[in-house]
Amino acid sequence: MRGMMRAMSVETPETTGQTRTFTTIGVVGLGTMGAGIAEVFARNGYAVIGVEQNDDGVERGRQHLTNSTGRAVEREKMTEAEQAELLGRISYSTSLKDLAEADLVVEAVVESMATKKAIFKELDTIVSPETVLATNTSSLSVTELSSATSAPGRVVGVHFFNPAPVQDLVEVVRTVVTEPSVLTDVQALLGTLGKSPVVCGDKAGFIANTLLFGYL
């Protein structure tokens, strides 16, 4: 794929010489946003595991991805071969347990704190201690969400804007306990996607929505 960037290791001073490697990305929720996020990572060479609650949800997510990449082929933004290669990097599941080997999991389900907390609580028992847990929430408290895990320091907000494959801005939401290495590594990872990460604090509306509310 034109401009394809391979999955890469990210080294930062905060990791004290260790390398955090991102190769497999989990995406929980394959609605419009989740499917778009999955496409962004697959487009840039990462293996993606998309998880939905049932087979119908998986099929809807698959259709989102097929239609989105199909439009890119029609506009000559990619070839059919490149589309097939991209879609081939994405696998699907109805079980969070299949995310056990993921290096980063991005949750993109409905804006319900209870639902998101339940997912993060379960993920906490499945993924490795080094796995970064991220939420795509646009308004809920990332700090409160992180309290559902045993290691809130590895939880961060990663708010993509719709449509994720097109919009460059991504809000990276830090809590007071987010580990500096997690914050730095996630920013570097987003850079490999061609995105423009902007770090903000965990307050209502983050940056973009706060500005929008004021304007309205």
Side-chain angles (χ1 to χ4, degrees):
M1 183 176 297
R2 300 180 183 89
M4 180 68 70
M5 301 179 68
R6 294 186 305 170
M8 63 182 292
S9 299
V10 178
E11 291 188 60
T12 69
E14 291 82 359
T15 55
T16 60
Q18 302 212 351
T19 302
R20 189 191 301 272
T21 302
F22 294 101
T23 56
T24 302
I25 309 298
V27 178
V28 182
L30 293 173
T32 301
M33 281 306 307
I37 292 168
E39 179 182 337
V40 168
F41 279 104
R43 184 185 291 261
N44 289 278
Y46 295 90
V48 178
I49 304 170
V51 178
E52 261 291 354
Q53 58 183 340
N54 52 44
D55 291 336
D56 288 341
V58 165
E59 186 54 35
R60 284 192 297 271
R62 195 192 305 272
Q63 285 302 312
H64 277 307
L65 284 152
T66 300
N67 293 339
S68 176
T69 54
R71 288 191 294 272
V73 172
E74 291 174 0
R75 295 194 298 268
E76 299 184 346
K77 299 294 186 181
M78 70 174 69
T79 66
E80 290 185 356
E82 290 168 342
Q83 178 193 26
E85 186 179 357
L86 186 159
L87 295 176
R89 293 193 183 94
I90 305 172
S91 59
Y92 302 89
S93 175
T94 56
S95 173
L96 291 176
K97 292 180 180 179
D98 287 331
L99 299 178
E101 302 302 318
D103 307 301
L104 167 73
V105 179
V106 181
E107 166 274 312
V109 302
V110 295
E111 288 288 270
S112 162
M113 180 61 77
T115 300
K116 292 176 184 291
K117 272 189 168 183
I119 290 171
F120 270 68
K121 184 176 182 179
E122 185 173 352
L123 284 172
D124 193 50
T125 67
I126 295 171
V127 300
S128 77
E130 292 76 31
T131 300
V132 176
L133 299 179
T135 176
N136 188 59
T137 184
S138 61
S139 58
L140 299 178
S141 169
V142 180
T143 302
E144 182 177 349
L145 179 57
S146 72
S147 69
T149 74
S150 61
R154 65 169 168 177
V155 177
V156 65
V158 180
H159 178 215
F160 289 82
F161 291 82
N162 190 38
V166 176
Q167 298 292 339
D168 288 341
L169 178 65
V170 180
E171 291 178 322
V172 180
V173 186
R174 69 172 183 269
T175 72
V176 293
V177 296
T178 299
E179 297 172 4
S181 63
V182 169
L183 199 65
T184 304
D185 291 350
V186 167
Q187 289 180 83
L189 173 63
L190 292 169
T192 71
L193 307 178
K195 300 300 184 183
S196 301
V198 177
V199 177
C200 58
D202 186 20
K203 62 179 182 179
F206 311 137
I207 296 176
N209 283 340
T210 298
L211 293 174
L212 176 62
F213 293 156
Y215 173 78
L216 293 176

